[in-house]
């Protein structure tokens, strides 16, 4: 069974890059165009890991993390932040909200796959 990834990012380019990288590596890829859509489709997808941007319309990445962590069923699913932001304050805020890790854009395919495998224990 493939590891399911839900990527939430308002950039079509980033979603396309993630799709190419993750599908090539054997992951089952799903995406949402903003935080609200990501939280709304989360129960139907039941992902093994979530990747979220921070700066998005409708619901930002911090809101995504807080909403997903607000439900007991979601407390164990790893959430990786993938963003251009890199300030220590934002990283600390994401960690305190419940993020598992932080990856800065532009991402390296191999590093992203390694991080996903590490947080999910998956082979893909």
């Amino acid at each position: 069974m493939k590891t399911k990834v839900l990527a939430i990012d308002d950039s079509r380019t980033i979603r396309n890059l993630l799709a190419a990288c993750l599908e090539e590596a054997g992951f089952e890829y799903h995406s949402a165009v903003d935080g609200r859509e990501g939280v709304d489709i989360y129960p139907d997808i039941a992902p093994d890991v979530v990747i979220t941007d921070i700066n998005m319309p409708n619901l930002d990445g911090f809101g995504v993390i807080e909403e997903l962590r607000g439900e007991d069923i979601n407390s164990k699913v790893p959430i990786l932040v993938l963003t251009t932001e890199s300030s220590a304050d934002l990283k600390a805020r994401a960690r305190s909200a419940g993020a598992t890790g932080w990856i800065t854009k532009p991402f390296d395919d191999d590093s992203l796959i390694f991080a996903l495998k590490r947080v999910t224990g998956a082979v893909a």
Side-chain angles (χ1 to χ4, degrees):
M1 189 137 119
K2 290 184 177 183
T3 299
K4 290 190 273 186
V5 178
L6 172 59
I8 307 168
D9 200 304
D10 59 320
S11 166
R12 179 182 300 167
T13 301
I14 293 295
R15 290 192 312 272
N16 289 342
L17 289 169
L18 286 169
C21 169
L22 298 178
E23 289 172 350
E24 173 72 22
F27 290 89
E28 181 180 323
Y29 177 78
H30 301 270
S31 67
V33 300
D34 62 39
R36 175 54 40 219
E37 181 186 22
V39 169
D40 289 348
I41 67 173
Y42 179 94
D44 295 329
I45 294 169
D48 299 300
V49 62
V50 173
I51 300 171
T52 186
D53 189 13
I54 290 294
N55 299 310
M56 296 181 290
N58 300 318
L59 183 66
D60 69 10
F62 297 116
V64 167
I65 297 165
E66 290 164 0
E67 285 199 30
L68 293 181
R69 292 297 187 227
E71 302 293 326
D72 289 337
I73 193 167
N74 302 322
S75 64
K76 302 277 188 228
V77 174
I79 300 173
L80 297 177
V81 175
L82 178 64
T83 185
T84 57
E85 304 290 342
S86 60
S87 80
D89 289 346
L90 292 178
K91 289 179 183 180
R93 182 176 168 199
R95 267 193 307 276
S96 69
T100 309
W102 189 281
I103 300 168
T104 306
K105 293 177 189 173
F107 64 91
D108 171 79
D109 289 5
D110 293 336
S111 297
L112 178 63
I113 298 303
F114 177 80
L116 288 171
K117 288 180 178 180
R118 197 183 86 213
V119 300
T120 62
V123 292

